[in-house]
Amino acid sequence: MDSKQLFLREIHSIIKEYAEVGEQLKQPDKELSWEEFDLTENEISALSAQKFTAESISAIEKIVRDNIMGAFHSAFCLLDGVSDPASENEEDVWVGLKLEEKQDDDEDEEFLHDELYSSYWDWHDLNTNRNNSQK
């Protein structure tokens, strides 16, 4: 089987799974999968006060799924080099990144999934500084 097609099909399964938020909306839990996004008591109360129907849950899940699909599409555009990341140096040229099938001798490489959460803080600090300097 073609590895790229297998990967892309699996992405669609992941998108569908993560978009299924109906039970979380009906019975919100304060603690989410990452503590930075935990819900406040006011947010939990607001969700609990809603009268979700099967149709409203379906609509919300479609919106979430569409947004996740858009996020993956934008990430893949960055990988493909057809869009540019925000750069501190306007002269930098972004050519994209290449994902390749792993080889047996790739044991020492860093993993993107490990770097995702830690890179959040770099992004957070950079955007906080940008927003503060624009005020």
Side-chain angles (χ1 to χ4, degrees):
M1 166 158 301
D2 178 273
S3 296
K4 186 178 357 176
Q5 288 304 310
L6 180 62
F7 175 77
L8 290 170
R9 282 200 307 264
E10 187 63 21
I11 292 291
H12 288 288
S13 294
I14 292 167
I15 290 169
K16 181 182 183 308
E17 177 186 342
Y18 279 78
E20 293 172 348
V21 296
E23 286 306 310
Q24 287 177 289
L25 292 172
K26 291 177 185 176
Q27 299 176 343
D29 189 6
K30 179 178 175 39
E31 294 182 13
L32 298 178
S33 62
W34 195 42
E35 68 185 46
E36 177 66 9
F37 302 133
D38 284 350
L39 301 178
T40 66
E41 293 299 327
N42 287 341
E43 291 167 335
I44 291 170
S45 294
L47 284 174
S48 297
Q50 301 304 308
K51 304 289 187 224
F52 293 110
T53 64
E55 291 79 15
S56 65
I57 294 293
S58 177
I60 291 166
E61 288 180 345
K62 285 179 181 180
I63 291 167
V64 170
R65 196 168 178 180
D66 184 64
N67 283 329
I68 296 171
M69 180 82 89
F72 272 106
H73 183 267
S74 293
F76 291 161
C77 285
L78 283 170
L79 284 171
D80 291 339
V82 297
S83 68
D84 297 323
S87 174
E88 292 182 23
N89 183 351
E90 297 295 323
E91 291 145 19
D92 289 341
V93 176
W94 178 257
V95 295
L97 297 172
K98 186 171 186 171
L99 296 178
E100 297 177 342
E101 198 166 324
K102 293 182 91 163
Q103 305 300 316
D104 289 334
D105 61 349
D106 289 343
E107 296 175 14
D108 294 333
E109 77 178 77
E110 304 261 341
F111 291 113
L112 283 174
H113 73 271
D114 291 330
E115 294 181 43
L116 179 64
Y117 289 104
S118 63
S119 68
Y120 170 82
W121 296 111
D122 294 334
W123 170 85
H124 180 273
D125 293 345
L126 180 64
N127 282 293
T128 300
N129 291 338
R130 279 187 186 155
N131 290 340
N132 288 338
S133 68
Q134 292 176 353
K135 289 182 180 181

